[in-house]
Amino acid sequence: MSKILFVMTGADHWTLADGTKHPTGFWAEEAVAPYEVFKAAGHEIVVATPGGVVPTVDRGSLAPEVNGGQEGADKVAATLASIDEIKNPITLEDVRLDDYAAVFYPGGHGPMEDLAVDPVSGRILVDALASGKPLAVVCHAPAAMLAATKADGTNAFAGYKVAAFTNAEETQAGFADKAKWLLETRLVEAGVDVQVGEPWVPNIVVDRNLVTGQNPSSSAPLATEVLRKMA
């Protein structure tokens, strides 16, 4: 049994271009699906957040329409409620990378608010990338890559092939015209090679030890790919 680190947003809102604070947090499926995959394989999960705050779930991610109906929504909510690790996070400052076999960042709009500008998370990403350990990031969580700056000022992920929530998906979700910035655009500006797949369809991109997924439906297959890399 190995330990897998979940780095999760501590934000409960996303500040839009007009200053409105849109309630958000992490996306339920993106934490629950990988958690179930990793736990079924016998691994231990440790959750870390900025300040050690208990992560907030985006209530929209518990809706029936994004979980295949009411039964799916109830299952996700029940599983989420049973995950004690999410209720007892450590702080990012307390993370010792040597303790973990892999690192995983679930998404939701929350990382756009805090992890995108969090230098401690940025250092964890730089170190995890350099360690060769599986590093997995899904959906909006690649926003955290924007804080992963090397000593020379360049982005640690520049030149890496990455899947991330796309401008087309943000448009279809109704937020592209409200956002201060768009994830795909900012990653490209940082030198990241964003591999754009079809909206809402699973899209997993593997580049060296980095495993990334485009959207919520990519979460479970991304976790399976991490297990393959850990084997």
Side-chain angles (χ1 to χ4, degrees):
M1 182 175 75
S2 299
K3 283 186 184 179
I4 298 176
L5 177 68
F6 276 38
V7 178
M8 299 182 67
T9 178
D12 62 4
H13 68 275
W14 176 34
T15 306
L16 303 178
D18 65 358
T20 302
K21 291 185 176 182
H22 173 70
T24 188
F26 69 91
W27 196 259
E29 180 182 359
E30 295 168 29
V32 168
Y35 179 89
E36 290 183 312
V37 170
F38 294 144
K39 291 293 278 190
H43 298 298
E44 183 181 340
I45 307 299
V46 175
V47 173
T49 64
V53 303
V54 176
T56 298
V57 65
D58 188 316
R59 304 305 300 180
S61 69
L62 300 176
E65 54 267 32
V66 296
N67 288 291
Q70 189 62 53
E71 185 179 346
D74 291 345
K75 182 176 181 294
V76 166
T79 303
L80 189 58
S82 74
I83 300 177
D84 289 334
E85 294 92 337
I86 287 180
K87 302 167 192 170
N88 298 283
I90 64 172
T91 68
L92 295 182
E93 286 83 359
D94 287 338
V95 168
R96 282 174 38 85
L97 200 60
D98 289 347
D99 294 341
Y100 303 98
V103 177
F104 170 57
Y105 277 66
H109 278 117
M112 302 272 283
E113 184 74 20
D114 61 353
L115 298 181
V117 293
D118 191 300
V120 183
S121 168
R123 283 200 299 277
I124 291 171
L125 285 170
V126 171
D127 292 346
L129 196 63
S131 74
K133 296 176 183 183
L135 170 61
V137 192
V138 70
C139 201
H140 284 93
M145 295 177 182
L146 298 172
T149 307
K150 296 193 290 189
D152 62 4
T154 61
N155 190 281
F157 294 89
Y160 275 79
K161 289 182 168 61
V162 167
F165 201 72
T166 64
N167 291 353
E169 286 167 322
E170 203 71 87
T171 299
Q172 291 177 21
F175 285 107
D177 60 347
K178 301 173 184 174
K180 285 183 179 179
W181 48 271
L182 296 177
L183 179 57
E184 179 190 330
T185 299
R186 284 287 298 276
L187 289 171
V188 170
E189 289 171 354
V192 179
D193 184 1
V194 179
Q195 304 288 297
V196 177
E198 289 296 314
W200 313 111
V201 176
N203 177 30
I204 307 299
V205 174
V206 180
D207 190 344
R208 288 156 275 186
N209 60 315
L210 179 64
V211 183
T212 51
Q214 180 172 314
N215 42 39
S217 65
S218 303
S219 303
L222 174 138
T224 300
E225 183 60 38
V226 171
L227 289 182
R228 274 200 287 270
K229 282 192 163 292
M230 292 174 68

